[in-house]
């Protein structure tokens, strides 16, 4: 999955319109909260930079990434949210649990977006080690929470 473009937050300004009146739900997994807390910080900082008002952002927590799709659905079904951002971190262990969680979460989040016709962003790190996750949550590989936020902003501008 590697590419020359490493950070979505450095993508073009295409589709980044005025989101100052848009509303965002953010669902955060409590599992690996050192990482997901950093992803949340990155997402919030980016939304602020894009002009999103604090009162237009609602943060909800779920126990683990497996619960992100349901959390996302509970927000997405509300007309009051224009976009939902899901933040999680699944780290490979000794069993196949990782594969089941990652597959279910990716598919589940995708389904919510398609069902409700609104951006539901997959801001979930799926790494082999905690260090790889930290590297992507404000470390040497940037902050994927920022990228999740900019993805939501760009998708809101899709029809413009
Ligand atoms: C159980 C579990 C394990 C082993 N690992 C992770 C993980 O690395 N990241 C994560 O977000 N959640 C993990 N979980 C919890 C599951 O996502 C879920 O909360 C439980 O299986 C209960 O449904």
């Amino acid at each position: 999955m590697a590419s020359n473009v490493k950070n979505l937050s450095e993508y073009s300004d295409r589709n980044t319109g005025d989101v100052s009146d848009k509303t965002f739900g953010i669902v955060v997994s409590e599992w690996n909260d050192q990482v997901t807390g950093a992803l949340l910080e990155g997402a919030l900082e980016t939304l602020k930079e894009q002009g999103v008002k604090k009162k237009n952002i609602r943060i909800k927590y779920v126990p683990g990434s497996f619960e992100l799709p349901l959390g996302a659905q509970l927000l997405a079904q509300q007309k009051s949210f224009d976009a939902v951002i899901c933040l999680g971190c699944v780290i490979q262990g000794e069993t196949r649990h990782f594969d089941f969680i990652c597959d279910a979460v990716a598919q589940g989040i995708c389904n919510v977006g398609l069902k409700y016709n609104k951006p539901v962003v997959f801001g979930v790190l799926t790494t082999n080690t905690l260090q790889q996750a930290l590297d992507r949550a404000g470390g040497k590989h940037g902050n994927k929470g920022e990228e999740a936020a900019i993805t939501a902003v760009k998708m809101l501008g899709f029809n413009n």
Side-chain angles (χ1 to χ4, degrees):
M1 289 287 282
S3 75
N4 288 335
V5 183
K6 298 288 185 198
N7 289 309
L8 254 178
S9 45
E10 289 166 14
Y11 273 27
S12 71
D13 284 342
R14 193 184 299 132
N15 288 354
T16 49
D18 180 7
V19 285
S20 56
D21 285 322
K22 298 293 185 188
T23 51
F24 295 78
I26 307 181
V27 194
V28 188
S29 164
E30 290 174 331
W31 199 284
N32 296 318
D33 63 351
Q34 180 188 3
V35 175
T36 60
L39 295 176
L40 176 61
E41 273 180 39
L44 290 173
E45 189 58 35
T46 298
L47 292 180
K48 191 175 161 192
E49 282 167 16
Q50 292 292 321
V52 179
K53 299 182 184 84
K54 206 173 168 184
K55 71 175 175 69
N56 287 343
I57 302 172
R58 175 100 185 266
I59 302 166
K60 298 289 284 182
Y61 290 88
V62 292
S65 293
F66 189 78
E67 285 71 40
L68 285 170
L70 178 57
Q73 178 160 287
L74 292 170
L75 294 182
Q77 70 183 4
Q78 299 179 39
K79 290 206 168 53
S80 49
F81 292 107
D82 295 308
V84 177
I85 298 168
C86 300
L87 302 175
C89 170
V90 192
I91 301 176
Q92 177 74 280
E94 290 180 0
T95 68
R96 294 189 58 215
H97 205 256
F98 176 87
D99 301 310
F100 291 116
I101 293 185
C102 294
D103 287 351
V105 175
Q107 196 62 56
I109 289 174
C110 175
N111 289 345
V112 176
L114 296 177
K115 179 172 177 185
Y116 289 99
N117 256 336
K118 54 179 78 167
V120 178
V121 180
F122 182 75
V124 181
L125 294 175
T126 57
T127 61
N128 289 324
T129 65
L130 174 61
Q131 188 57 52
Q132 287 175 340
L134 293 170
D135 289 346
R136 291 159 177 79
K140 66 179 178 187
H141 291 308
N143 188 323
K144 302 297 169 184
E146 295 174 9
E147 299 182 26
I150 207 72
T151 300
V153 168
K154 280 173 172 273
M155 288 309 292
L156 285 170
F158 182 82
N159 281 328
N160 292 348

